[in-house]
Amino acid sequence: MVTAWRMNDWEGIRYLLGHRFKSGISQFFITMVATVAADLTVAILVGIVYSALLYIVKASHINVSFSDIDASRLPGAPGGALPKAGVVYVTGSLFFGAVDEFSRLMAEMPDYREVIFSLRGMPSLDVSGAQALLELRARLKEQGRGVAFCGVAPEVRLYFDRAGITALAGESGFFWSADQAIFALLEKERAAV
């Protein structure tokens, strides 16, 4: 008990309790109980495993939101020149723990003819996430829908390259921002008219 008492940073613990960080408080108590029940080595291992589980649970949440593109609000855009198009904002890591949620959310996507995926909020993905995006991209291509990606992090782009998403989308399907993708879509529509 003395070891459990002395090993703590009490100023940090007061901060956790004062700000009611539930995960931090639970980590503190689990590690302290493990120290008393077993020893410091076991307590450290229990604390690490518990922290990893908390991280996985938090990281498995992914947000997807859809935003229609109103071409009439864009400067220099002729009215009605833009087909039914939208931006899909993805926030969170796309890994094996979030793929099912991502697929469920993507099933709710409006019937956009042109889809721009804004991935600036997606810091990472794994093989399962890359496979889910590849299958989604292939399905949208079969349906005749245009797809562009913007704000892709370098680590995510490596997975895109290796999974074949880049080859399927083409280099012209990648943009720095959603604005650039929207204006490229407008230029494509103007050229087609």
Side-chain angles (χ1 to χ4, degrees), residues 22-32 47 50-52 54-55:
K22 293 176 187 173
S23 61
I25 293 168
S26 65
Q27 289 169 338
F28 163 69
F29 281 116
I30 286 174
T31 306
M32 190 168 83
Y50 183 70
S51 296
L54 281 177
Y55 177 77

Side-chain angles (χ1 to χ4, degrees), residues 59-193:
S60 66
H61 296 293
I62 191 161
N63 282 332
V64 175
S65 61
F66 308 102
S67 178
D68 296 341
I69 298 171
D70 183 4
S72 65
R73 296 180 65 199
L74 298 172
L82 198 60
K84 186 167 184 185
V87 180
V88 178
Y89 296 95
V90 181
T91 307
S93 295
L94 185 55
F95 72 110
F96 68 91
V99 167
D100 289 339
E101 179 71 8
F102 175 75
S103 298
R104 185 187 67 75
L105 292 168
M106 289 312 301
E108 300 170 3
M109 181 171 62
D111 191 24
Y112 296 133
R113 198 176 103 201
E114 298 287 340
V115 183
I116 299 169
F117 286 95
S118 178
L119 305 180
R120 192 167 308 284
M122 186 169 58
S124 63
L125 82 158
D126 68 358
V127 175
S128 300
Q131 184 177 3
L133 278 171
L134 178 64
E135 290 169 1
L136 176 64
R137 174 62 181 104
R139 189 170 58 251
L140 293 173
K141 186 174 183 178
E142 286 174 9
Q143 295 170 355
R145 298 190 199 187
V147 175
F149 297 98
C150 63
V152 181
E155 298 82 17
V156 173
R157 182 63 188 263
L158 288 174
Y159 269 96
F160 273 39
D161 295 346
R162 293 180 71 190
I165 298 169
T166 303
L168 189 59
E171 283 296 327
S172 62
F174 287 87
F175 299 90
W176 174 251
S177 68
D179 294 349
Q180 288 179 342
I182 291 168
F183 282 113
L185 181 59
L186 281 169
E187 289 300 319
K188 181 176 131 183
E189 289 300 313
R190 284 183 188 142
V193 172

